[in-house]
Each structure stands twice: as C-alpha cells, then as structure tokens.
Amino acid sequence: MRAPERSEIHDMIHGTGLSLGTARGAAMQFDARSAIGLADSLEPNTVPVDAVARFERALSATITQIDEIIEHGASRFADVVKLIFTAHRMMLEDPAYAGEIRKRISNGESPEKATATVTDELSESLSANHNERIAEKGEDIRDLGRRVLSNLTETANEGTFAHGRVVVLKSVFPSELLRLAIDGAAGIVLVGTMVTAHIGILARSLGVPVLSTTSDLALAIPDGSEVVLDATRGVLYPTADAAPPDTTVASSEGDAVEDRVESALAVSILANVNILADAYTARRYADGIGLYRSEFPFIIRKGFLSEDEQKDLYSYIIGSMPGKPITLRTADIGGDKLLDDDAAESNPFLGVRGIRFSLANREAFRTQLRAMLRAGIDTDLGIMFPMVSTVEEVQEAKDELVRCIEQLARDGIPHNGSPRVGAMIELPSAAIATSELAAETDFLSIGTNDLVMYMLAVDRTNARVADLYRTHHPTILRTIHWITARVGGAIGELSVCGEAAADPLMIPFFLGLGIKKLSGAPRRLRDMRRYVTALDERWCRDTARSMLAIRTIHEMDEYLVELESQLHELNDRVTDATSAAGGST
Ligand code: PEP
Ligand code: MG
C-alpha cells in the first residue's frame, strides 16, 4: 500500500470515539519509536567510564525510578501502576534481557547500542508471537528499553513519553493503553486496531479521549505537529487550524460537579468499575459498586496474580467507597487470555470462559475467592459469578466459596465470613433458569451486553454486525420481562449492569418492570441519577407495558422516536441525559 503523502492530510480524519472528549497537542507517532531510533537520536554519554559500570548504573537508576513509581504513583491509577511496573521490575531482573545486554557490552559494543539492539530484537520477537499474551510483553520491553536508554544518556525521561501529546498508534494492548494514560497522554488515536470488548471498556475508564479510525492517513501526520482530537464527534483534525473554532478542549465527559440528587423512585445507582480510576470517577454519584470486573488485573498483568497481590488490589477498590455495598465479580476471562497455546480455542466466546474457566482452574479460583474474602472484611461484600449457564455451576462455585471461608477461619486469617452470593444473567439458558438461580443466590444481575450478544447471535465486538446488535429488540425486552417475572420476592436484589442500564430509552422499561438497581459506567452516573429522579413510576410502568406489546423491530424503532420526544417533554433535565446517550458496547 502507498504511504499517504503529507500534503494529503489536511482534511479531517473520521473515526469512532471509544472514550469521549477533546484534546489538543503535538502528535506522537508511537510505532515509529524503536529503541534503535531513539538511541540514534540521543547524545552518547561522553564521560569515559567503564562501559559495563555505566550500564549497571543506568539499570539501577531505572530500578529506583520504577520503585518510586510503584510507591508514589498517582493514586487514581495506583492499581494499574502497581500491576504494570512490578512486571517491568521483574523483567529487568530477567537474564534474558539485562544479561544479554551485559554480554554484548563485554564484547565491545557501546551500552547504548547494546541496550537498543537487545530491546528491539527481544521486543520484535515477542511481538511476532501469535499468542497475544506473549506478544504484549514486547511492548513492555520497548517501554523498559526507552527508560534504560534515557538513563544511560542522562536525558530526561519525560521527553520520550507521551505527556501532553496526542498519541497515534497502530496496535494497542490493554497495558499499553494504560501506560499512555498514566504518562499523561492528552489523547489517543488507534489506527486500524481490532477493538476488543476489553479495550473498548478500558478506553472509557481512562478519562482520556480515544478515537478508533480505519484511516491510515493518521499515521502520516508528522511527529510533533499540533493536532486537535474531538473523540465526541469522531474526528481528528491533523492541523490545529483545521479544527472549527467551537472545538473546545475540555476534559472528558461527566467531570462537572453538581449536587447529588436523590431518586424519588428509590433506585440505587451503582458503578461498573474496571480499574481504580473508575471508582474515583464514580464515587460522588454512586451508591456502591454494582460490578467490579476482576479480570482486568489479569489482562493487564498478562497472567495470574498471587493471593496477596489480588487482595491488595481489591482493597484499593473496596477502600474507594467506604461503607457502601461492593460487588466483586470473579474473573470473566477465557483460557486464551491467560494460558499458553494449548488453551487456544477457535470460538472463545463459546468456550471455557467466566465461571467455566474458574471451575476448570480450581487453584486459581480459590486464590481469587480467598483474596476477595480477605479484602472484603467489614464490608457489605457481594461475590458474583459470570457466564453462568446452569444452576449446577452456581452450586459448585458456592461450595468452593464455603470451603475457602472454612479454610480461612481454620487458619485464623481475617476475612468476610458471610458475603452475599450472586450470579449474572447474561446467557439465554440462565435467563430461562431465573427461578432456580434466584433460589440459589442472594442476588442476580442482568448483563445486557452479553445477553444481547448470545440471544441474537451477534458478536458485540464485530462492527460488521453492529446494526443487528439491538438492546431494544422485542425478544430482548420479553426476555428481561421473563426474568423480572421469575425472580419473585427477590426483585429488590435484581440489578442491570450492562451498558443498557445507562440508556435513557431503556431505563423507563427497567424501572417499569420493578428493577431497583442500575449499575452503569462511572461517567454516566450523574446523568442516570438526574434522569431517574425526573421519572414517574406509573409512567414507567405504562411505558414498559407499551414496549412489551411491540412485536417487530420496525415498530420498535417508531416507538422509540415517539418515546424520545415524550422524554424531551417530560423534563428539561431529561433532555440532557437523552442527548448524552452513547452506543451499545
Ligand atoms: C454484560 O455482559 O452485560 C456485563 C456487564 O459484563 P461484561 O461487559 O463484562 O461482559
Ligand atoms: Mg458479560
């Protein structure tokens, strides 16, 4: 393919905002920054000291910096900082990296050249691995190499990182996205990247505008030239003067502070939390955490964590909302994300995912349950199982939980001995088995993101079938009605935690069916709260009844147009919330 010319890139570049907001800053072409390129651009240190000693000094300076980051890292990102940088520290101690550099220096290469070469070779060979988990480590090595090189040449580290810049990159791993946010990137542009559900979810957690585009024109924007990113409108302006004057550069959505309003309908507004930063964003407006996606630490670390490490992370999350109910979900992850190649599946969405994975990997499951119980002491703690398809899975998982509690008690380790136990309803089989699941649990949560995917057989991450992904599909609404009708007296303990929980066109339906708990993305909570406050119970019931009577998608689309105009009339506040409605997943 012909590389785009510089002259072709004055027009705006379109894409999809994964995390809304606007940013202005110098472009940073991330992929072009190989360690060799960086080494060439740095002034070699001219002080004539023994080359190996100079490398050792740079290495220990790097270790000290990393330790400082771990100790004093920004509190908002304390959990991910710990996850990423403790892994970096371990890599620095791995002979495959530092040992190889030492060998080359002893053979007469300069420390800069040796560090750059080993960094590039190792990162390229890791990145080429077809196992995504291993490939991702290539990026960690690149990052580390840059840090060591900066210390070797005594250049400021900041110069090599993303602070204040709009970073353009082709492939992105979750840990890399996080590192860019921690480094203070003003905005991020992903070019032609396959956006997995986890990348999409993470992007929204970061509070940094992120645009995904298929246009590789973005890759031809000169490094350092001033650009304007408007992820809310889905546009990148390759030169600052191309941006319309009304492109205000503000922080991302939902940051405004206003007094919290209480809902007349007595609905709990809860937060979906992926990383600690979410809990900080949410806590002003949240009555608690309705869903903590505990697989994120594993995805960021690219492997399992020890019981103590997990306990520390969960304690951060729990500590962010003292006195409020916290629901920790056990890892909803496929074997392909954590194990080596023999776990590869041709269809991981239908494979060993969620509770199936936990039950098949008991040691890892027990470690996680113990960590949750230990972190959840003196807390209104809920432990929830994902991807449940049979009642037996819940029974087995509960048995394991009871064994963990007994063991902790026997060992005299402080823990929460009576957590509430819940299951997610996100598979058709679980929806049909609602009564039986309700009898086995203390609470249930409808995960609409997956429920829609599995009911309609539409991959939630596949843009080609995005038009078929419809939360308002009559079948979905009838399924949700089926669920609410079968939880019986436990309706007060039923929540919705998919993206639909924040959708103004779904909220009246949920409330009309008697659902009292909505768990949404942190940046949506303020609007959810204002909106719920403006709604009338009887009107919600009538609306739910009307929506349930609709039999076709076409009629539903017509009804939604009408509903939207009714909502506009209902209240000025509601108008704001409606216009802030985003996409599905
Ligand atoms: C869901 O499926 O609706 C849900 C909340 O879980 P996740 O998005 O983590 O799959
Ligand atoms: Mg799900």
Side-chain angles (χ1 to χ4, degrees):
M1 196 187 329
R2 182 180 67 90
E5 301 279 335
R6 263 169 181 240
S7 57
E8 291 174 34
I9 49 166
H10 38 257
D11 290 340
M12 51 192 193
I13 295 166
H14 293 274
T16 309
L18 295 181
S19 166
L20 307 188
T22 48
R24 181 188 290 262
M28 174 176 169
Q29 292 292 348
F30 192 81
D31 297 312
R33 303 202 146 215
S34 70
I36 283 281
L38 184 64
D40 289 347
S41 73
L42 295 171
E43 287 285 310
N45 190 318
T46 48
V47 184
V49 285
D50 171 59
V52 174
R54 203 149 64 74
F55 172 69
E56 297 303 342
R57 275 227 311 270
L59 194 65
S60 61
T62 307
I63 291 175
T64 308
Q65 283 163 3
I66 290 177
D67 284 347
E68 270 169 16
I69 295 173
I70 295 170
E71 272 308 299
H72 308 294
S75 58
R76 199 180 158 77
F77 288 118
D79 56 343
V80 286
V81 162
K82 208 168 194 160
L83 283 164
I84 292 170
F85 289 99
T86 46
H88 280 195
R89 210 182 179 298
M90 286 190 271
M91 284 178 190
L92 273 184
E93 280 153 13
D94 182 349
Y97 184 62
E100 184 57 30
I101 298 173
R102 283 189 193 100
K103 205 154 82 193
R104 280 174 174 263
I105 299 172
S106 311
N107 289 340
E109 250 174 50
S110 78
E112 287 83 0
K113 177 92 193 313
T115 303
T117 309
V118 173
T119 301
D120 276 353
E121 281 178 8
L122 186 58
S123 67
E124 274 161 28
S125 97
L126 288 167
S127 301
N129 197 295
H130 63 275
N131 182 324
E132 208 176 275
R133 191 169 65 92
I134 296 171
E136 194 169 347
K137 291 191 175 164
E139 295 305 320
D140 285 305
I141 290 287
R142 268 219 278 181
D143 198 9
L144 257 186
R146 286 194 201 110
R147 216 174 268 281
V148 177
L149 275 171
S150 297
N151 283 318
L152 264 174
T153 53
E154 291 168 18
T155 49
N157 257 323
E158 289 72 32
T160 60
F161 296 101
H163 189 81
R165 307 189 69 172
V166 175
V167 182
V168 182
L169 71 174
K170 258 200 302 204
S171 62
V172 74
F173 294 109
S175 58
E176 197 173 19
L177 200 60
L178 284 163
R179 264 198 321 267
L180 292 173
I182 293 166
D183 282 346
I188 296 170
V189 179
L190 305 177
V191 182
T193 305
M194 164 74 190
V195 178
T196 62
H198 280 110
I199 288 280
I201 288 170
L202 204 52
R204 287 190 283 278
S205 295
L206 296 177
V208 177
V210 181
L211 182 85
S212 161
T213 177
T214 51
S215 166
D216 59 2
L217 286 178
L219 297 170
I221 296 172
D223 205 80
S225 72
E226 184 89 351
V227 298
V228 173
L229 170 64
D230 186 343
T232 308
R233 289 184 185 151
V235 187
L236 172 68
Y237 300 95
T239 57
D241 25 311
D246 68 334
T247 313
T248 49
V249 176
S251 56
S252 26
E253 49 180 325
D255 286 345
V257 171
E258 67 169 48
D259 283 339
R260 185 179 146 139
V261 284
E262 294 306 327
S263 144
L265 278 170
V267 175
S268 290
I269 302 293
L270 304 162
N272 290 349
V273 168
N274 311 316
I275 57 175
L276 183 63
D278 289 314
Y280 276 82
T281 306
R283 61 183 173 184
R284 185 176 177 87
Y285 301 106
D287 295 314
I289 294 177
L291 165 67
Y292 169 61
R293 291 184 170 102
S294 72
E295 63 274 15
F296 271 90
F298 300 137
I299 291 171
I300 295 163
R301 175 59 75 74
K302 305 169 275 287
F304 294 109
L305 298 166
S306 72
E307 183 179 317
D308 285 347
E309 281 180 304
Q310 289 184 54
K311 181 202 162 238
D312 287 350
L313 294 177
Y314 306 150
S315 298
Y316 281 139
I317 302 293
I318 290 169
S320 70
M321 291 203 202
K324 293 183 178 172
I326 308 285
T327 301
L328 303 178
R329 180 176 76 182
T330 59
D332 182 9
I333 201 160
D336 59 320
K337 290 261 182 326
L338 284 178
L339 303 173
D340 287 325
D341 287 351
D342 54 353
E345 295 174 311
S346 58
N347 204 338
F349 279 136
L350 303 180
V352 187
R353 185 190 150 180
I355 195 65
R356 299 174 186 171
F357 179 80
S358 293
L359 292 175
N361 293 275
R362 290 300 173 112
E363 206 44 55
F365 189 37
R366 273 193 285 273
T367 302
Q368 178 163 53
L369 291 174
R370 286 169 60 93
M372 287 180 168
L373 292 165
R374 287 174 57 199
I377 190 165
D378 299 329
T379 302
D380 180 354
L381 175 71
I383 293 182
M384 177 161 75
F385 306 122
M387 278 290 290
V388 163
S389 59
T390 67
V391 177
E392 284 77 4
E393 285 167 338
V394 174
Q395 289 166 338
E396 269 189 71
K398 275 172 57 184
D399 289 347
E400 203 60 78
L401 183 64
V402 169
R403 281 195 286 274
C404 288
I405 293 171
E406 286 168 355
Q407 185 71 51
L408 286 167
R410 261 200 307 277
D411 297 345
I413 299 171
H415 64 284
N416 185 324
S418 52
R420 289 173 294 109
V421 179
M424 289 197 67
I425 300 196
E426 45 190 351
L427 300 182
S429 56
I432 300 291
T434 295
S435 311
E436 291 75 14
L437 290 172
E440 279 296 333
T441 54
D442 301 310
F443 66 96
L444 294 171
S445 189
I446 305 176
T448 51
N449 302 343
D450 278 318
L451 187 64
V452 173
M453 170 163 101
Y454 289 110
M455 291 288 307
L456 303 182
V458 177
D459 181 347
R460 65 196 255 197
T461 64
N462 183 345
R464 290 170 67 191
V465 287
D467 282 355
L468 300 176
Y469 187 99
R470 285 170 174 268
T471 310
H472 299 91
H473 194 296
T475 302
I476 300 296
L477 301 192
R478 277 187 265 168
T479 304
I480 294 170
H481 179 228
W482 166 283
I483 296 167
T484 56
R486 274 154 190 81
V487 284
I491 185 87
E493 297 306 323
L494 174 70
S495 66
V496 177
C497 66
E499 301 278 320
D503 179 351
L505 295 178
M506 284 298 283
I507 289 175
F509 177 77
F510 294 137
L511 303 189
L513 294 182
I515 291 172
K516 297 270 183 272
K517 294 183 181 195
L518 299 173
S519 193
R523 285 169 206 285
R524 307 292 292 278
L525 299 188
R526 181 181 57 127
D527 284 345
M528 284 166 71
R529 200 170 263 292
R530 293 165 69 191
Y531 182 71
V532 164
T533 310
L535 294 177
D536 170 82
E537 196 167 355
R538 176 168 325 157
W539 179 81
C540 288
R541 274 204 301 273
D542 292 345
T543 304
R545 210 171 291 128
S546 305
M547 289 172 85
L548 283 171
I550 294 171
R551 288 289 178 261
T552 67
I553 291 170
H554 180 68
E555 283 171 52
M556 185 64 76
D557 284 346
E558 284 178 355
Y559 180 82
L560 292 179
V561 172
E562 192 193 309
L563 178 61
E564 198 160 356
S565 65
Q566 280 184 45
L567 292 174
H568 281 295
E569 283 162 26
L570 193 71
N571 195 308
D572 282 349
R573 286 172 160 186
V574 176
T575 310
D576 294 346
T578 309
S579 60
S584 51
T585 50

